[in-house]
Amino acid sequence: MSDLLRLSNPVFRTLAICTGALTLKMVVITGMTIRKRFQTGTFANAEDAKRDGQIVGTNDDVERCRRNHLNDLESIPPFVLIGLMYTLTDPDEDVAIWHFRIFTASRLLHMIAYQAALPQPSRALTFLTGLGCTTSMAIQTIRNAL
């Protein structure tokens, strides 16, 4: 295994920590969605709505959690994938670590802005910050691979 993909490499170690934190964040959103479904009695499938008062349909609170989770699915896997490729280019340690930290912080702040329904541009700014980190790493990875 390349020394670049060992926990003794501070860049890879930081990516591993950030990936773990982001995965746990996604698990939390999943739990929030489940909790909102039971609180509101709103389920996506008929077989899930078994008790009186439970419905098959949508609820604004459930949908907010689901949209937050879908946004994570659009942002976090590309970050992890390009983060691994970026790590393999042996980037400057400080620059790489700050990319990972800023992306992770932006996604945590995005979740807060989304769930608390904070006014725009709070959510947009946190999303664009994360997108900027991923884009920057992708450009550097392509440049270094050429």
Side-chain angles (χ1 to χ4, degrees):
M1 180 190 312
S2 168
D3 285 341
L4 294 172
L5 295 180
R6 293 189 186 277
L7 291 176
S8 57
N9 174 5
V11 172
F12 182 69
R13 183 175 54 250
T14 303
L15 178 62
I17 291 167
C18 290
T19 298
L22 291 165
T23 301
L24 286 175
K25 177 197 135 4
M26 290 176 71
V27 169
V28 166
I29 290 289
T30 300
M32 290 170 63
T33 305
I34 293 167
R35 190 181 93 222
K36 289 289 183 187
R37 285 197 182 283
F38 280 96
Q39 282 178 342
T40 63
T42 309
F43 295 90
N45 303 299
E47 64 272 15
D48 299 332
K50 295 180 179 180
R51 295 188 209 139
D52 290 337
Q54 292 181 334
I55 61 168
V56 175
T58 60
N59 172 278
D60 288 342
D61 292 334
V62 173
E63 290 305 307
R64 180 170 290 281
C65 290
R66 287 186 69 247
R67 287 189 306 269
N68 195 342
H69 188 77
L70 287 172
N71 192 277
D72 282 346
L73 291 172
E74 294 167 355
S75 301
I76 294 172
F79 162 79
V80 173
L81 183 60
I82 201 62
L84 282 169
M85 297 300 108
Y86 180 56
T87 299
L88 288 172
T89 69
D90 196 16
D92 178 88
E93 184 178 309
D94 290 332
V95 173
I97 287 171
W98 278 107
H99 272 86
F100 301 158
R101 288 176 178 170
I102 290 169
F103 180 87
T104 302
S106 76
R107 293 311 301 174
L108 293 171
L109 291 171
H110 181 270
M111 179 183 78
I112 292 166
Y114 215 132
Q115 293 312 125
L118 297 179
Q120 288 287 20
S122 58
R123 195 174 76 240
L125 290 173
T126 59
F127 173 80
L128 291 172
T129 299
L131 183 62
C133 288
T134 302
T135 302
S136 173
M137 290 187 302
I139 290 168
Q140 291 178 66
T141 299
I142 292 167
R143 187 186 68 215
N144 291 339
L146 293 174

